């Protein structure tokens, strides 16, 4: 039986009540769906204010998983040091609860659609490519932009789980718009030193 994304998270919350969960536990519990579930878990905190220093490790783990999707892997793998990382129970509980709320909102519009896109053998790889690129933008040191690529990653993660080709297309458009925004920000930073003297005259 096909479980919805939020139902996966409900099961993980039940498991969490028994013992602390590691990323490896979650991957083992959710199999192929674990790719997108763990990716969503890793990036969800960036929708909210985050303590410094977590963007790099969490973003790097997301990048490792999404690159495996690009390569066509269906069984996720993480380096042992990352896979054995156990979320503190209180933090993991809040994280899973927030993820469940966010995904339940997305699931109200997500359902199997445009199967020619969703079920295409290359779509899995292309989704991984888009998530990889958004993870790179997430890791980039551009201030106050973390929620933007995070939204794109969450859209693509839920769309992949729910086999929603239409939501995938929305995710692709969002990826392009996010890329253009970051390119514009980069351009502004590039020309700012030359413009500053003129503005101060």
């Amino acid at each position: 039986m096909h479980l919805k994304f939020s139902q996966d998270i409900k099961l993980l919350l039940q498991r969490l009540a028994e013992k602390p969960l590691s990323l490896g536990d979650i991957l083992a519990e959710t199999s192929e769906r674990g790719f997108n579930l763990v990716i969503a878990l890793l990036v969800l905190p960036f929708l909210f204010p985050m303590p410094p220093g977590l963007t790099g490790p969490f973003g790097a783990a997301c990048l490792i998983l999404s690159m495996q999707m690009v390569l066509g892997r269906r069984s996720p793998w993480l380096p042992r040091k990352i896979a054995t990382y156990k979320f503190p129970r209180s933090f993991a509980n809040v994280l899973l609860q927030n993820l469940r709320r966010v995904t339940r909102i997305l699931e109200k519009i997500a359902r199997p659609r445009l199967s020619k896109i969703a079920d295409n053998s290359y779509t899995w790889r292309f989704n991984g490519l888009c998530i990889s690129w958004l993870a790179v933008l997430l890791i980039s040191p551009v201030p106050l932009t973390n929620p933007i690529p995070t939204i794109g990653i969450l859209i693509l993660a839920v769309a992949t789980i729910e086999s929603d080709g239409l939501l995938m297309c929305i995710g692709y458009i969002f990826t392009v718009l996010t890329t253009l925004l970051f390119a514009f920000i980069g351009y502004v930073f590039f020309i700012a030193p030359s413009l500053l003297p003129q503005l101060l005259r």
Side-chain angles (χ1 to χ4, degrees):
M1 183 176 67
H2 176 73
L3 292 178
K4 279 185 166 291
F5 206 1
S6 56
Q7 291 173 313
D8 276 332
I9 298 163
K10 182 180 179 180
L11 293 175
L12 288 172
L13 283 169
Q14 293 171 349
R15 285 281 311 281
L16 186 62
E18 301 169 3
K19 65 173 185 177
L21 291 178
S22 69
L23 291 176
D25 292 333
I26 296 171
L27 287 175
E29 185 79 13
T30 53
S31 187
E32 181 180 304
R33 292 160 67 85
F35 266 113
N36 294 281
L37 178 57
V38 173
I39 284 171
L41 276 173
L42 289 167
V43 301
L44 179 74
F46 301 110
L47 287 177
F48 313 99
M50 281 281 288
L54 289 180
T55 307
F58 278 37
C62 174
L63 188 58
I64 289 171
L65 287 173
S66 56
M67 285 304 298
Q68 291 175 55
M69 291 175 65
V70 176
L71 297 173
R73 283 182 61 99
R74 295 283 177 164
S75 299
W77 171 88
L78 282 173
R80 181 176 176 79
K81 188 174 182 180
I82 298 176
T84 54
Y85 171 77
K86 290 185 183 294
F87 291 102
R89 184 172 293 187
S90 58
F91 176 71
N93 210 354
V94 171
L95 190 60
L96 286 169
Q97 291 282 10
N98 286 335
L99 181 59
R100 190 180 178 194
R101 292 190 188 101
V102 171
T103 54
R104 286 180 74 175
I105 292 171
L106 287 173
E107 284 175 353
K108 289 180 179 178
I109 60 172
R111 58 183 181 274
R113 289 178 291 196
L114 298 182
S115 58
K116 287 186 178 179
I117 294 175
D119 299 333
N120 188 289
S121 59
Y122 292 104
T123 298
W124 175 267
R125 294 172 182 261
F126 188 68
N127 289 351
L129 181 63
C130 290
I131 292 172
S132 296
W133 174 239
L134 290 170
V136 170
L137 296 181
L138 177 63
I139 297 170
S140 65
V142 181
L144 305 176
T145 58
N146 284 348
I148 300 172
T150 297
I151 291 171
I153 291 171
L154 288 172
I155 289 173
L156 287 167
V158 173
T160 304
I161 286 289
E162 300 299 329
S163 298
D164 189 341
L166 179 60
L167 192 59
M168 288 176 191
C169 291
I170 293 172
Y172 303 151
I173 294 170
F174 193 91
T175 301
V176 172
L177 293 176
T178 301
T179 302
L180 292 175
L181 175 63
F182 273 73
F184 174 74
I185 294 172
Y187 176 72
V188 169
F189 274 103
F190 179 75
I191 66 172
S194 59
L195 286 179
L196 199 57
Q198 300 177 29
L199 294 174
L200 293 177
R201 285 178 185 173

